[in-house]
Amino acid sequence: MDIWEQLYEKAREQYHPEQVTPFLYGHHVVCALESADGRIYTGFCIESCCGVMDLCAERVAALNMYVNSGQRVIKRMITFRDRPPYGGGSGMPCGACREFLMQLAWENRNLEIMVDYEKRGTVTLGELLPGWWGEERYK
């Protein structure tokens, strides 16, 4: 089992869409990431009637990593709904998640994001954010 299969299986464990309360819906988008030290952390999307409190699966997984280990650098990430990323933009983090991941650590520009599970197609966060505005601050 390669690392992408491991990440997929860990994320899939979190996939069980549910109405958490009359105001919250969750577990309909899931994520697993591999931290710099090789540990796997997961997260799931949670949405509310008040969009300000929504959290994407990618940010929840990254926050789980940071809260539980103090790590900020991510090597690999997979995100999906009811099936693994299949190309055509599936598996891509939203703009807010891209920005958060870059702000979490400059090294995350090398983060591999799975965009086609079957073909093992990936894109780096740096490719998604060329000329990122915060680079100067890191230097």
Side-chain angles (χ1 to χ4, degrees), residues 35-37 39 41 62-73 104-105:
S35 63
D37 74 355
R39 287 189 268 179
Y41 296 89
L63 287 169
N64 279 335
M65 176 188 69
Y66 178 70
V67 167
N68 290 296
S69 71
Q71 294 183 85
R72 297 177 297 110
V73 178
L104 191 59

Side-chain angles (χ1 to χ4, degrees), residues 11-12 14 39-40 42 45-46 63 66 76 81 86 90-91 97 100 102-103 108 121-122 124 131:
R12 194 171 66 128
Q14 297 293 320
R39 287 189 268 179
I40 295 174
T42 61
C45 181
I46 189 151
L63 287 169
Y66 178 70
R76 294 177 188 88
R81 288 181 182 267
Y86 50 88
S90 68
C97 287
F100 176 77
M102 282 295 277
Q103 289 186 26
N108 286 341
T122 63
T124 66

Side-chain angles (χ1 to χ4, degrees), residues 62-120:
L63 287 169
N64 279 335
M65 176 188 69
Y66 178 70
V67 167
N68 290 296
S69 71
Q71 294 183 85
R72 297 177 297 110
V73 178
I74 304 166
K75 292 182 351 186
R76 294 177 188 88
M77 174 181 284
I78 187 170
T79 305
F80 57 92
R81 288 181 182 267
D82 57 341
R83 63 181 176 144
Y86 50 88
S90 68
M92 289 286 200
C94 73
C97 287
R98 294 175 193 193
E99 183 65 30
F100 176 77
L101 296 168
M102 282 295 277
Q103 289 186 26
L104 191 59
W106 173 240
E107 295 86 354
N108 286 341
R109 70 190 182 284
N110 300 314
L111 158 63
E112 286 184 90
I113 299 164
M114 174 60 61
V115 294
D116 191 320
Y117 184 73
E118 189 174 303
K119 295 178 182 176
R120 293 300 192 262

Side-chain angles (χ1 to χ4, degrees), residues 99-100 102-103 106 129-138:
E99 183 65 30
F100 176 77
M102 282 295 277
Q103 289 186 26
W106 173 240
L129 292 172
W132 181 62
W133 70 271
E135 180 176 351
E136 186 176 306
R137 280 189 176 183
Y138 274 122

Side-chain angles (χ1 to χ4, degrees), residues 20-53:
V20 179
T21 73
F23 309 99
L24 298 172
Y25 186 70
H27 293 273
H28 55 294
V29 179
V30 294
C31 175
L33 61 81
E34 179 189 13
S35 63
D37 74 355
R39 287 189 268 179
I40 295 174
Y41 296 89
T42 61
F44 57 86
C45 181
I46 189 151
E47 295 178 347
S48 68
C49 289
C50 175
V52 175
M53 296 187 297

